[in-house]
């Protein structure tokens, strides 16, 4: 990969980092917020999942708008709104106002995955997409890692309200860089003609440039495709576990290991940072091992199934005694869940024969994942309140991971042809 395409990969990687920093901030700051407002575990479960309510509702409509609005405007507008909502969380004075800020944040964050999925298809040849898509999705691990430490430091040194102001401001700094440098490869003035030609000829694996592709398929047509449902169900089962950790891991560590806010931040960051490295390595292996014929046939599904099985080690979390052992288990689980979901987005691009369908199918796939992500913290909140522990919460996640393994192996075996072929 050239350094110019590398800069584009870095931009979309960092926007997901910021996205997830803002998502995990409430989890890390939960202890002082609960102390100030007296929220119950069930109320915190609703607050943790609140941003996903509007996120899920907005994913498909915003995915359909990407072609009309444009990737640059969609991503830029989204981060401007959700950063504003993050800052305004600092002014919240009740359950309702915190929830309202989370709802606005969720709606605007729904721009990221559909638009950036289209950007990856625009900018990167098929033999680079597994690496770049997993790096992009790896922001969902790097973000919580950075966010856990940064939020913990801000909360410990200042207050939870200051933390939300600072985190929101980071998004506006990124927005300036995005607005200056991002453009589609056809229009980017800083791209050489040699590399521009390479991108246009290789990004679809057939030498067909995006502008020669057929019109986007209708949502109804795409939803009639068996492979689309396979992608959606697989994502749902993997993301359930990812969001269980994203929302409840800091509280889990504090309640079972009696850690301070700062130590919780450090120990939450460790498995997420390790996951980024392991995930990108696995994705790079998938790019190198799979031939172009394998990619077109969707054989990346085998890697996804392996990741789902790996994540089922979540069953070991309640039975390990030492903190080091627990961190190893959490790292393996997160690597499986997040790498599997990233490769699932890559599989969507592999199976689609019309590049203009990518944003739409990524939005549908992300919808499935985030619908289960929405209910994950709520179900966990009720399970913890009823049982006084996390064992059954982890068992539910393991069952879903096994279902995800079956879904990817059985339902994603056919390419998704253009509607107007």
């Amino acid at each position: 990969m050239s350094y110019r395409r590398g800069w584009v990969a870095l931009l979309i990687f960092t926007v997901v980092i910021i996205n997830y920093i803002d998502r995990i901030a409430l989890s890390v700051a939960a202890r002082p917020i609960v102390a100030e407002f007296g929220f119950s575990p069930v109320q915190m479960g609703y607050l943790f999942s609140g941003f996903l309510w509007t996120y899920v509702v907005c994913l498909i409509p915003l995915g359909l708008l990407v072609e009309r609005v444009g990737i640059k405007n969609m991503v830029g507008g989204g981060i401007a709104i959700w950063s504003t909502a993050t800052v305004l969380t600092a002014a919240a004075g009740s359950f309702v106002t915190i929830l309202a800020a989370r709802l606005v944040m969720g709606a605007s964050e729904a721009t990221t995955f559909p638009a950036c999925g289209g950007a990856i298809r625009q900018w990167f040849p098929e033999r680079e997409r597994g690496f770049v898509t997993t790096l992009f999705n790896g922001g969902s691990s790097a973000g919580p890692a950075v966010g856990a430490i940064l939020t913990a430091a801000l909360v410990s040194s200042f207050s939870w309200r200051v933390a939300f102001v600072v985190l929101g401001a980071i998004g506006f700094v990124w927005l300036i860089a995005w607005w200056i440098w991002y453009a589609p490869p056809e229009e980017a003035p800083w791209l050489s003609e040699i590399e521009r030609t390479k991108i246009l000829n290789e990004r679809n694996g057939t030498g067909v440039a995006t502008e020669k592709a057929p019109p986007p398929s209708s949502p109804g047509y795409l939803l009639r495709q068996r492979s689309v449902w396979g992608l959606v169900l697989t994502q749902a089962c993997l993301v359930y576990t990812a969001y269980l950790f994203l929302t409840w891991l800091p509280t889990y560590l504090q309640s079972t290991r009696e850690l301070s806010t700062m130590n919780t931040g450090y120990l939450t960051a460790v498995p997420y940072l390790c996951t980024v490295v392991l995930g990108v390595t696995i994705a790079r292996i998938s790019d190198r091992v799979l031939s172009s014929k394998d990619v077109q046939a969707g054989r990346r599904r085998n890697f996804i199934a392996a990741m789902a099985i790996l994540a089922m080690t979540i069953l070991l979390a309640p039975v390990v005694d030492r903190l080091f052992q627990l961190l190893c288990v959490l790292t393996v689980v997160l690597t499986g869940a997040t790498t599997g979901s990233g490769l699932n987005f890559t599989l969507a691009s592999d199976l689609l024969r019309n590049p203009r369908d990518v944003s739409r199918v990524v939005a549908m796939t992300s919808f499935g994942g985030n619908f289960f992500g929405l209910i994950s913290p709520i179900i966990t909140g009720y399970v913890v309140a009823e049982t006084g522990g996390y064992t059954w919460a982890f068992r539910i996640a393991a069952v879903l991971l096994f279902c995800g393994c079956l879904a990817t192996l059985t339902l994603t075996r056919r390419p998704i042809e253009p509607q107007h072929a």
Side-chain angles (χ1 to χ4, degrees):
M1 183 192 304
S2 77
Y3 76 90
R4 292 182 178 87
R5 294 201 299 282
W7 280 114
V8 175
L10 181 62
L11 273 174
I12 59 179
F13 172 60
T14 50
V15 75
V16 181
I17 290 178
I18 296 170
N19 190 304
Y20 275 79
I21 286 174
D22 293 345
R23 293 188 193 192
I24 201 173
L26 185 66
S27 302
V28 178
R31 177 178 284 181
I33 291 173
V34 168
E36 181 174 337
F37 295 104
F39 297 146
S40 69
V42 172
Q43 285 178 302
M44 290 307 297
Y46 279 105
L47 287 179
F48 289 152
S49 71
F51 77 93
L52 281 169
W53 303 351
T54 47
Y55 186 94
V56 166
V57 170
C58 293
L59 265 172
I60 292 178
L62 290 175
L64 297 176
L65 284 175
V66 171
E67 282 285 326
R68 180 178 299 179
V69 175
I71 291 169
K72 184 171 185 174
N73 293 333
M74 184 68 75
V75 175
I79 195 169
I81 296 172
W82 96 58
S83 296
T84 300
T86 301
V87 171
L88 291 177
T89 303
S94 66
F95 177 89
V96 172
T97 50
I98 295 176
L99 181 61
R102 300 286 284 179
L103 293 174
V104 174
M105 187 180 79
S108 50
E109 284 192 355
T111 60
T112 304
F113 276 79
C116 289
I120 291 170
R121 184 63 183 254
Q122 275 189 344
W123 271 94
F124 298 95
E126 64 173 18
R127 295 300 299 274
E128 295 178 358
R129 285 202 300 264
F131 171 77
V132 176
T133 304
T134 304
L135 178 66
F136 162 61
N137 196 62
S140 64
S141 297
V146 175
I149 295 174
L150 181 58
T151 305
L154 290 169
V155 170
S156 299
S157 301
F158 302 100
S159 69
W160 69 267
R161 295 183 188 274
V162 171
F164 279 92
V165 172
V166 173
L167 297 179
I170 291 172
F172 288 103
V173 174
W174 183 92
L175 178 59
I176 295 171
W178 173 260
W179 209 255
I180 291 172
W181 285 305
Y182 184 81
E186 293 89 340
E187 301 172 12
W190 43 265
L191 192 63
S192 70
E193 287 304 319
I194 293 175
E195 187 166 4
R196 196 188 320 274
T197 301
K198 176 182 173 63
I199 292 169
L200 297 181
N201 287 339
E202 296 183 17
R203 62 187 174 188
N204 299 322
T206 59
V208 179
T210 300
E211 58 269 26
K212 295 181 181 179
S217 303
S218 69
Y221 170 81
L222 293 171
L223 288 172
R224 291 193 296 271
Q225 307 307 303
R226 178 187 178 99
S227 290
V228 171
W229 281 102
L231 294 166
V232 171
L233 292 173
T234 301
Q235 195 74 5
C237 294
L238 290 166
V239 169
Y240 182 94
T241 296
Y243 272 98
L244 189 160
F245 279 12
L246 181 69
T247 54
W248 279 100
L249 181 55
T251 302
Y252 170 69
L253 291 173
Q254 288 176 350
S255 62
T256 61
R257 306 291 166 161
E258 298 181 354
L259 301 173
S260 67
T261 299
M262 195 66 241
N263 285 335
T264 299
Y266 285 128
L267 293 176
T268 298
V270 169
Y272 278 108
L273 286 174
C274 293
T275 295
V276 176
V277 177
L278 292 171
V280 169
T281 301
I282 293 168
R284 192 64 173 167
I285 292 171
S286 79
D287 280 340
R288 291 185 176 276
V289 168
L290 297 173
S291 66
S292 181
K293 182 179 179 181
D294 291 334
V295 169
Q296 295 290 317
R299 293 196 175 94
R300 210 181 300 263
R301 74 176 73 88
N302 298 324
F303 280 85
I304 298 168
M307 292 300 101
I309 296 298
L310 190 68
M312 288 179 64
T313 52
I314 193 173
L315 292 170
L316 298 177
V319 300
V320 296
D321 295 323
R322 296 182 179 179
L323 187 59
F324 175 76
Q325 294 173 326
L326 177 61
L327 291 177
C328 289
V329 170
L330 297 178
T331 299
V332 171
V333 175
L334 282 169
T335 298
T338 60
T339 304
S341 64
L343 289 173
N344 196 48
F345 284 125
T346 312
L347 179 61
S349 192
D350 294 345
L351 294 172
L352 284 162
R353 297 298 180 258
N354 182 1
R356 298 182 69 182
D357 287 338
V358 172
S359 292
R360 297 181 174 209
V361 173
V362 167
M364 293 174 182
T365 302
S366 191
F367 175 90
N370 284 282
F371 178 76
F372 272 52
L374 183 158
I375 63 176
S376 176
I378 296 175
I379 291 174
T380 303
Y382 278 108
V383 170
V384 171
E386 289 295 321
T387 67
Y390 292 81
T391 299
W392 273 103
F394 293 160
R395 289 173 179 172
I396 292 169
V399 170
L400 288 173
L401 289 165
F402 182 71
C403 292
C405 175
L406 294 179
T408 193
L409 290 176
T410 59
L411 299 178
T412 62
R413 308 188 72 84
R414 299 177 184 173
I416 305 168
E417 302 292 344
Q419 181 178 7
H420 306 286

